C-alpha cells in the first residue's frame, strides 16, 4: 500500500502505529526505536547519527491522529468497491462450484469470504442458495464415499457451514440439514472424518438440537454406528470442545427419545460413560451421571450398569464429592438399580465401595426430600442383608435396631 513518506518509520520504512519522538526531533515506530536502543545497544539517532544523552521517547499524538484519519479515509473509499467485488465473487463461486473439478479450493475461497465478511455477506450467501449447494456437496459422499476428493469436499463444506451461526439458527436451514441424505452424510463424517470435520459436524448437530424442529424422529433412524461415533468423540481427551459438544448432543437425543436410549445402550454407551466418569471434571461428571441415569431407566441400561465391574464404584466416588445435583443423580441411579432385583454382587459392591456409608450420611441431612426418601427405601429393601456383613456401618446397625418398625 502506498502511503505518505512522513508516515513511515525511518528504520523499518513501514507505516507507523505507535509513533514516538526522541530528543533529536525525529519520530520512529516505538518498537523499532526501542529495539535500536535496548537490544542493539545503540546510543545514536538512527537518522542523524547524533550521539544521544537522553533516551526519552515522547508519543507523537498529532502524527498518530493524522495516520488514523488517512487510514479511515482510504478504507471508506475502498469499502464499497471491495463489498461489490466480494458479492460478485461469492455469487460466481456458488453458481459454479458444483460443476467445478476444484471443489475443495473453491470451498476454501468461499470460507475466507464468509469469515472476513459481515452479516450482509452471510445473508447474500443464504439468498444465493449457498446452504442448498453445501448440502448437495455433503450428500455427494453417499454416492462416491470412497473418492478422496469428494470426501474432502464434504469436510470442507461442513467447516464452511459452521461459519454461518446466524444462518444455522434459522428454521429453514435446519429443515434442509435434517434431510435424510444430509444426516446420513454427517453420520459418515462422524465415523471417518478428520478431527476438525468431526468437531464441525457435532457442532452442527448441537445447533440442530437447540432448534424447535422435529429432529428426534430423524435421529431415531440413525444406526448404531452413529451413537458409537458420538461415544468416540465424547471420549476424546485431546479435543475437549468436541468432547463437550458430543456429550451435550447425546443428552439432547436421549432426553427426547427412549428408542435412542436403547440404541445408545446397544452401542456401548453405558460402558464408555462409566469408564470416563472417574477422571471427569465436576460439570462433566454431572452430565455423564445424568446420561447414566436416563439409561438406567431402561431394563437394558440397568443390565449394562450391573454387568460393569466399576459401575457402583464410579457412581459412589462422585456422590457427596461434586455437587448436590451430582449426589441426587447418584442416589437416583442406585435407587433404580436397587429397586430392580439387584444381584448379590451388586449389593456386596454397594457395601464394599462405600455406597451404603454415603447413603447413611445422607440420612443425617435435616429435613425431608425425595433423595432422602429414596435412601430410606434402599435401606428398607436391603438393610437385612447388609447388616450381616462385618463391613456394615455401625451407626446404621444402631439406626436399624432403633427404628426396625419404620425401616
Amino acid at each position: 500500500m502506498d502511503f505518505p513518506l512522513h508516515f513511515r518509520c525511518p528504520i523499518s520504512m513501514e507505516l507507523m502505529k505507535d509513533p514516538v519522538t526522541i530528543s533529536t526531533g525525529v519520530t520512529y515506530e516505538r518498537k523499532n526505536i526501542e529495539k535500536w536502543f535496548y537490544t542493539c545497544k545503540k546510543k545514536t539517532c538512527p537518522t542523524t547519527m547524533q550521539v544521544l544523552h537522553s533516551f526519552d521517547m515522547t508519543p507523537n499524538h498529532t502524527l498518530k491522529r493524522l495516520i488514523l484519519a488517512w487510514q479511515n479515509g482510504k478504507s471508506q473509499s475502498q469499502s464499497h468497491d471491495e463489498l461489490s467485488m466480494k458479492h460478485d465473487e461469492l455469487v460466481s463461486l456458488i453458481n459454479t462450484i458444483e460443476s467445478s473439478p476444484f471443489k475443495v479450493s473453491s470451498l476454501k475461497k468461499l470460507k475466507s469470504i464468509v469469515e472476513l465478511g459481515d452479516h450482509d455477506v452471510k445473508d447474500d450467501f443464504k439468498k444465493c442458495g449457498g446452504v442448498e449447494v453445501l448440502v448437495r456437496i455433503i450428500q455427494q459422499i453417499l454416492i462416491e464415499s470412497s473418492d478422496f476428493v469428494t470426501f474432502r469436499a464434504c469436510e470442507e463444506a461442513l467447516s464452511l457451514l459452521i461459519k454461518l451461526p446466524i444462518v444455522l439458527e434459522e428454521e429453514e436451514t435446519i429443515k434442509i440439514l435434517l434431510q435424510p441424505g444430509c444426516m446420513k452424510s454427517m453420520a459418515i463424517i462422524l465415523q471417518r472424518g478428520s478431527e476438525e470435520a468431526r468437531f464441525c459436524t457435532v457442532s452442527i448437530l448441537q445447533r440442530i438440537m437447540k432448534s424447535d424442529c422435529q429432529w428426534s424422529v430423524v435421529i431415531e433412524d440413525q444406526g448404531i454406528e452413529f451413537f458409537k461415533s458420538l461415544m468416540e468423540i465424547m471420549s476424546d481427551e485431546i479435543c475437549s470442545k468436541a468432547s463437550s459438544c458430543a456429550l451435550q448432543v447425546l443428552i439432547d437425543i436421549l432426553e427426547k427419545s427412549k428408542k435412542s436410549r436403547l440404541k445408545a445402550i446397544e452401542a456401548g454407551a453405558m460402558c464408555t460413560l462409566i469408564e470416563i466418569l472417574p477422571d471427569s471434571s465436576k460439570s462433566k461428571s454431572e452430565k455423564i451421571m445424568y446420561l447414566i441415569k436416563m439409561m438406567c431407566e431402561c431394563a437394558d441400561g440397568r443390565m449394562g450398569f450391573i454387568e460393569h465391574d466399576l459401575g457402583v464404584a464410579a457412581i459412589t466416588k462422585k456422590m457427596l464429592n461434586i455437587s448436590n445435583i451430582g449426589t441426587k443423580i447418584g442416589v437416583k441411579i442406585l435407587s433404580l438399580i436397587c429397586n430392580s432385583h439387584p444381584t448379590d454382587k451388586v449389593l456386596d459392591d454397594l457395601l464394599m465401595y462405600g455406597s451404603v456409608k454415603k447413603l447413611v450420611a445422607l440420612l443425617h441431612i435435616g429435613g425431608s426430600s425425595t433423595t432422602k426418601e429414596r435412601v430410606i427405601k434402599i435401606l428398607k429393601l436391603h438393610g437385612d442383608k447388609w447388616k450381616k456383613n462385618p463391613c456394615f456401618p455401625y451407626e446404621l446397625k444402631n439406626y436399624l435396631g432403633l427404628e426396625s418398625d419404620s425401616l
Side-chain angles (χ1 to χ4, degrees), residues 334-403:
L334 297 184
S335 175
L336 288 165
I337 298 301
C338 289
N339 292 341
S340 304
H341 308 291
T343 62
D344 287 342
K345 181 184 180 305
V346 170
L347 294 176
D348 289 341
D349 284 351
L350 287 166
L351 194 64
M352 182 173 65
Y353 290 118
S355 311
V356 176
K357 191 172 183 179
K358 289 193 174 184
L359 291 174
V360 173
L362 288 168
L363 286 177
H364 299 304
I365 297 174
S368 60
S369 68
T370 306
T371 299
K372 198 169 182 179
E373 288 171 9
R374 288 194 178 111
V375 170
I376 292 171
K377 189 175 180 181
I378 292 170
L379 297 175
K380 274 185 178 182
L381 286 170
H382 306 294
D384 285 338
K385 175 176 173 57
W386 286 329
K387 70 180 182 181
K388 297 172 186 176
N389 193 296
C391 297
F392 193 70
Y394 177 77
E395 61 268 32
L396 182 56
K397 198 176 291 185
N398 288 343
Y399 186 83
L400 289 170
L402 288 169
E403 298 188 32

Side-chain angles (χ1 to χ4, degrees), residues 9 38 134 160 188 294 359 384:
C9 171
Y38 306 123
L134 291 183
L160 170 53
I188 290 171
M294 282 195 285
L359 291 174
D384 285 338

